[in-house]
Amino acid sequence: MDFTNESNKALKVLQNGGLVLYPTDTVWGIGCDATNTAAVEKVLTLKGLDDKGLVCLVASDAMLERHVEKVPDLAYDIMDLATKPTTLVYDIPKGFASNVIAQDNSVAIRVASDKFCKYLIGKFKKPIVSTSANLQYQPIALNFKEIDKAILTGVDYVVNLKPENQYAGPSSIIKMVIDGRVKVIRE
């Protein structure tokens, strides 16, 4: 399977409110349209999650800026200096499904570095959910072979590509606050 063909298949699923399993710059992710409440609910149900607040991917800094009230200057420094994939949590998100947004009105967003992810999100023109491909309370699957069968059969499409430069673990998560403070949530 080739890059373009796989992205077209995944794009069609995303556009129809479905779920895709896809390689990211960290671990395999379950993805959907981060602006579609029904699609996000499918992810929450599949994983057995009862709380809100999911990681989302955007294709560029420009897309990030369209989906949060203000990106602090420090966020760009952190992204530039990070030595591993880093997800930043921003206050006052814009345009996301309500069930993506955490109870404190924040959203976790990572600018994708994986070529496939950037290409897919760029074609989709909207953020996509990128939650790890594991059931609630189960360990994060660090490679495709570790993904639970319930996840594999619960998504609408599995992208048939190997990860580009997958980091064998979840991203760091850092909370950005408009007043300039930061809080490390996960190293």
Side-chain angles (χ1 to χ4, degrees):
M1 290 288 174
D2 68 78
F3 194 85
T4 304
N5 191 30
E6 286 300 304
S7 65
N8 287 339
K9 288 178 181 178
L11 181 63
K12 185 171 270 193
V13 170
L14 292 172
Q15 290 169 334
N16 290 320
L19 307 184
V20 296
L21 179 64
Y22 65 106
T24 74
D25 49 355
T26 58
V27 295
W28 279 80
I30 301 169
C32 73
D33 178 349
T35 69
N36 180 327
T37 304
V40 173
E41 188 59 39
K42 290 178 190 176
V43 171
L44 296 172
T45 299
L46 176 60
K47 287 192 61 147
L49 298 174
D50 48 10
D51 59 342
K52 302 188 300 182
L54 297 168
V55 172
C56 298
L57 294 180
V58 294
S60 64
D61 290 349
M63 185 180 280
L64 170 66
E65 291 165 1
R66 286 193 301 272
H67 290 281
V68 295
E69 186 69 30
K70 171 139 179 52
V71 179
D73 290 338
L74 182 58
Y76 296 108
D77 294 336
I78 291 170
M79 287 186 276
D80 288 343
L81 297 171
T83 57
K84 73 178 214 178
T86 301
T87 301
L88 301 177
V89 180
Y90 299 92
D91 289 329
I92 315 173
K94 299 188 300 188
F96 287 94
S98 61
N99 49 353
V100 166
I101 301 169
Q103 291 179 350
D104 66 353
N105 195 33
S106 67
V107 68
I109 305 172
R110 185 168 70 251
V111 177
S113 61
D114 176 86
K115 286 180 187 168
F116 175 77
C117 289
K118 287 176 88 70
Y119 184 74
L120 176 63
I121 299 163
K123 284 180 76 169
F124 188 51
K125 297 183 176 35
K126 294 190 264 185
I128 63 173
V129 166
S130 181
T131 184
S132 57
N134 61 299
L135 301 172
Q136 185 175 22
Y137 306 120
Q138 297 298 317
I140 292 174
L142 298 179
N143 59 60
F144 188 82
K145 292 176 184 165
E146 294 178 4
I147 298 172
D148 191 286
K149 185 174 180 170
I151 299 289
L152 294 171
T153 59
V155 298
D156 299 296
Y157 187 68
V158 177
V159 172
N160 188 19
L161 291 173
K162 291 196 179 341
E164 178 188 25
N165 291 311
Q166 194 170 46
Y167 174 80
S171 68
S172 296
I173 300 178
I174 300 173
K175 170 98 167 119
M176 304 298 305
V177 184
I178 288 178
D179 69 8
R181 292 178 293 129
V182 298
K183 178 183 178 187
V184 176
I185 297 172
R186 181 173 68 200
E187 286 190 44

